[in-house]
Amino acid sequence: MREKKNKKNDFVVPIVVSLLLHVALVVALLWSTDFNMPKPQASGQMVQAVVIDPKLVQQQANEIRQQREKAAKKEQERLDKLRREAEQLEKNRKAEEEQLRKLKEQQVRDAKAAREAEEARKKREQEQKVAEEKVRQEKDRAAKLEAERKLKEEAIKKAEQERVAKEAAAAKAEQERLANEKAAKEAEEKALREREAAKKAEQERIAQQKAAAEAAEKARKEKARLQQLEKERKEKQEALDDIYSGLETEASHNNAAKSQFVTDETKRYGDIYTQLIQQRLIKDEYLLGKSCKVNIKLIPTGVDAIVNSVSILEGDTRVCNAAKSAILQVRNFPMPADEAVKQELRNINLTVDFE
């Protein structure tokens, strides 16, 4: 409305100027005309008349027209200037609107990035808590196994004392030894089959594990399996204890039993190490069905051990790199109290399967 009012005011000025010029022309014409009534003259005299100079009229008309054209031109220039200014203002307004729109979009992107960063931080904190809880549980389990092992060592020492007292019954002890050897062999074969079945079941369970709750279930099953293996080892140790009650000539057999015990314990702890490593493997379709053989040198720190070095023995490069990364993520490897077994575990070869 204000723009229309301004345009109306712009036309008023040239109209007023035009009217003033016309009024001035009329006044000039009237001024040059003599309106005095001539006195009556005697007949026969000439009648005087006032004649308007057409050149003067034409000159004044030209001046009025020039002034009107000049005013119209000036008005047109003013209108053109106003139009250009209005167009520039409109361009500036659109540019500011575009800048504001981009600023708002950037603010939305920044807010989204901040939310995503906060969610990622919370997720990392949760994963760290879960990992720390797993480590704590593993340490508790290793401590419990160590306590049980000490109790078993006490039992072995006591059995050894009893064996010395029973050396007088050599013949009977020999028969019991043969029977116990057969039972131990059968128990070992049974334990091997159960370990293979348990390993296969554990591998299938790990492949299906996707959540923390399943990881807890896995730990519970693994604990039960280890208890079963420990029970079998105890039975085998008891059988070996009975063997120790034989004649001194059976010392070589006792040494063989001790060697078998060290071998079994080394394998058992090797299975534990392998499972600790597999829990930290990053699953990749490329790696499935492949394996890597590695050598791990450990440094005992009491009931646990830390990694001194990892060497790749054979296997696909990507597979072995993933296995090496998982090994370095295991902070503590449980160690037995038996020095012979511990010595074997200081330098151990393992095969890591990606299943």
Side-chain angles (χ1 to χ4, degrees):
M1 180 179 289
R2 181 177 295 177
E3 184 178 356
K4 291 181 179 179
K5 187 176 181 180
N6 291 334
K7 290 183 178 179
K8 184 176 181 182
N9 293 333
D10 293 339
F11 287 106
V12 170
V13 176
I15 292 173
V16 172
V17 173
S18 178
L19 290 175
L20 292 174
L21 291 175
H22 281 80
V23 170
L25 178 60
V26 172
V27 171
L29 291 173
L30 293 175
W31 182 264
S32 63
T33 304
D34 187 5
F35 289 96
N36 295 323
M37 296 295 295
K39 295 181 179 181
Q41 300 291 333
S43 59
Q45 294 181 349
M46 293 181 63
V47 178
Q48 295 180 353
V50 178
V51 179
I52 298 173
D53 188 356
K55 292 182 178 181
L56 179 59
V57 174
Q58 181 64 33
Q59 182 181 358
Q60 293 177 347
N62 290 336
E63 291 177 354
I64 293 172
R65 183 172 64 255
Q66 291 175 358
Q67 291 176 356
R68 292 180 62 184
E69 291 176 351
K70 185 177 180 181
K73 182 178 180 182
K74 185 176 181 182
E75 178 63 19
Q76 183 62 38
E77 290 176 351
R78 190 181 69 82
L79 293 176
D80 292 342
K81 181 179 179 182
L82 291 174
R83 178 180 54 77
R84 289 192 299 272
E85 291 177 351
E87 291 176 352
Q88 185 61 38
L89 289 174
E90 179 64 17
K91 290 181 180 179
N92 293 340
R93 183 187 64 78
K94 291 182 178 179
E96 290 177 355
E97 289 181 351
E98 179 65 17
Q99 187 176 3
L100 288 175
R101 183 185 65 79
K102 291 181 179 179
L103 181 60
K104 289 181 180 180
E105 290 178 352
Q106 183 63 35
Q107 290 175 346
V108 171
R109 289 194 295 269
D110 292 344
K112 181 180 179 181
R115 289 195 303 271
E116 291 177 350
E118 180 63 17
E119 292 175 356
R121 183 187 65 78
K122 292 181 179 179
K123 183 178 180 181
R124 288 194 299 271
E125 288 181 353
Q126 184 63 27
E127 291 175 350
Q128 181 66 20
K129 290 179 180 178
V130 172
E132 290 176 353
E133 179 63 19
K134 287 183 179 178
V135 171
R136 186 189 64 77
Q137 292 177 357
E138 185 61 26
K139 286 185 176 180
D140 292 344
R141 185 183 64 80
K144 184 177 180 181
L145 290 175
E146 179 65 15
E148 293 176 352
R149 189 195 61 76
K150 289 181 179 180
L151 291 175
K152 291 168 186 175
E153 283 186 348
E154 292 293 333
I156 291 174
K157 290 179 181 179
K158 184 178 180 181
E160 179 66 17
Q161 294 173 356
E162 293 177 353
R163 183 190 66 79
V164 174
K166 295 178 181 180
E167 287 181 352
K172 182 178 180 181
E174 177 64 13
Q175 293 176 354
E176 291 177 350
R177 184 187 65 78
L178 293 175
N180 288 331
E181 267 189 345
K182 182 178 179 181
K185 184 177 180 180
E186 292 175 353
E188 179 63 20
E189 292 175 352
K190 180 181 178 182
L192 180 61
R193 290 194 300 271
E194 289 178 352
R195 283 197 296 269
E196 291 175 352
K199 182 179 179 181
K200 183 177 180 181
E202 181 67 12
Q203 292 171 350
E204 293 175 352
R205 186 179 65 79
I206 292 174
Q208 298 173 354
Q209 181 181 12
K210 293 182 179 179
E214 295 178 359
E217 179 65 15
K218 174 184 174 182
R220 186 188 66 77
K221 290 182 178 180
E222 177 61 14
K223 181 177 180 181
R225 189 183 73 83
L226 292 175
Q227 289 176 346
Q228 179 63 27
L229 291 175
E230 185 63 23
K231 180 180 178 181
E232 294 172 358
R233 191 188 67 79
K234 182 178 180 181
E235 293 175 353
K236 183 171 63 177
Q237 186 62 40
E238 291 175 353
L240 291 174
D241 291 341
D242 292 335
I243 295 173
Y244 291 155
S245 64
L247 298 174
E248 290 183 348
T249 55
E250 298 299 325
S252 60
H253 294 284
N254 292 337
N255 292 334
K258 178 64 176 178
S259 176
Q260 184 63 40
F261 169 76
V262 172
T263 301
D264 292 342
E265 283 295 283
T266 302
K267 184 178 184 306
R268 185 171 71 87
Y269 275 87
D271 292 339
I272 295 174
Y273 295 171
T274 301
Q275 291 169 8
L276 290 174
I277 295 168
Q278 288 178 336
Q279 290 174 0
R280 290 162 177 79
L281 289 175
I282 298 176
K283 302 302 180 181
D284 190 327
E285 293 183 357
Y286 172 81
L287 306 178
L288 295 179
K290 298 182 180 181
S291 62
C292 177
K293 188 174 182 180
V294 297
N295 172 263
I296 305 175
K297 290 182 173 59
L298 299 175
I299 300 176
T301 59
V303 297
D304 295 327
I306 60 175
V307 176
N308 181 27
S309 65
V310 180
S311 301
I312 306 301
L313 300 180
E314 61 180 19
D316 182 86
T317 301
R318 287 178 58 184
V319 175
C320 292
N321 287 338
K324 185 175 182 180
S325 176
I327 292 169
L328 296 177
Q329 292 179 29
V330 180
R331 296 183 179 178
N332 296 287
F333 289 86
M335 293 293 285
D338 188 272
E339 288 299 329
V341 180
K342 184 183 294 185
Q343 189 64 30
E344 292 293 326
L345 295 175
R346 285 174 179 267
N347 187 354
I348 185 171
N349 295 335
L350 296 176
T351 298
V352 181
D353 296 321
F354 289 76
E355 301 174 349

